[in-house]
Amino acid sequence: MELWFSEYQTKNTKLSFRVKEVLYTKQSKFQNISVIETEDFGRVLALDDTVMLTTKDEFVYHEMISHVPLLTHGNASRVLVIGGGDGGTIREILKHPVKEAHLVEIDREVIETSKEYFPSVSCGLSDPRVKIFCEDGIEFVKKNKGYDIVIIDSTDPIGPAVGLFSEEFYKDVFLALNENGIMVAQTETPILFGDLIKRIYNDMSSVFHYTNLYSAVIPTYPGAFWTFTMGSKTINPISHETSVEPFFKTKYYNKKLHRSYFILPPFVKDIISE
Ligand code: AG3
């Protein structure tokens, strides 16, 4: 018997993985959480049948969402992650000499599932520098301030994550950031969702002095060509020479390529400048 797991990336396109074994599936208060062992991509964490990570390619997303802002900043001590209950972003942040890393994940069950089924991803969550808050990130940033970096490691802009893609939220993040603060959000693929990317870019631009997109290749996400949008108060990531060498091993992030990540293909440039 052939068993396949599919994500409908759009109504008309799906990505399918041949399933070795379904290890876990549960309806939490917020969403369905599944863990699937696949033939080619290792273990998959899916929320509402949407791929959050695979153990084969998660390093790309987690390295890029964390090392790019942290090394652009150069001196981050307090970092906040909104979403990201799997712990992958926290794992990468802890490779830097940060004092505190706060994780705000609305669904405690995602954290528990990752601890159980994704030890190589969730391994940083028990580090003494990490503090976990199971609450709504939108409310959290209104009350908590003093961060050098805020990373929005969210799901797609549907359901509870919608508010994480709004100008009002970016304003609150701005206020939660210190003087040289930087925020980064995962912002989907320009291959399919150009309008969304343009709106995010415009919204962030009206809040931050510098707003820049950068990209990475993530084969298991829609479009495979993925973007992150960075809002920065004082540091221009394009002209800024990253002074800090990553003093740890990376698999995707490369200091020599740091500035080039911000160089956009013409079709993406067109999307945000139209
Ligand atoms: N955040 C999810 C990125 C969005 C993926 N979208 C999709 N497959 N349709 C990733 C969580 C990993 N920490």
Side-chain angles (χ1 to χ4, degrees), residues 7 50-52 61-62 84 86 153-156 186 188 221-222 226:
E7 170 181 342
T50 303
V51 175
M52 289 299 111
Y61 178 92
H62 291 128
D86 52 77
D153 184 3
S154 74
T155 52
D156 297 337
Q186 76 81 4
E188 310 284 318
Y221 285 174
W226 205 253

Side-chain angles (χ1 to χ4, degrees), residues 7-9 15 45 47 49-53 58 61-62 65 81 83-89 121 152-158 165 186-188 193 218 220-222 226:
E7 170 181 342
Y8 277 87
Q9 298 187 329
L15 175 68
L45 174 67
L47 300 180
D49 294 336
T50 303
V51 175
M52 289 299 111
L53 65 88
E58 55 87 9
Y61 178 92
H62 291 128
I65 204 169
V81 179
D86 52 77
T89 301
V121 180
I152 319 300
D153 184 3
S154 74
T155 52
D156 297 337
I158 18 178
F165 292 80
Q186 76 81 4
T187 49
E188 310 284 318
F193 309 118
I218 305 173
T220 56
Y221 285 174
W226 205 253

Side-chain angles (χ1 to χ4, degrees), residues 105-130:
E105 164 63 58
I106 199 165
D107 192 346
R108 185 182 299 277
E109 303 258 8
V110 173
I111 298 170
E112 296 311 321
T113 306
S114 188
K115 281 186 178 162
E116 174 84 21
Y117 292 96
F118 296 90
S120 65
V121 180
S122 60
C123 49
L125 292 176
S126 50
D127 188 285
R129 289 172 290 170
V130 177

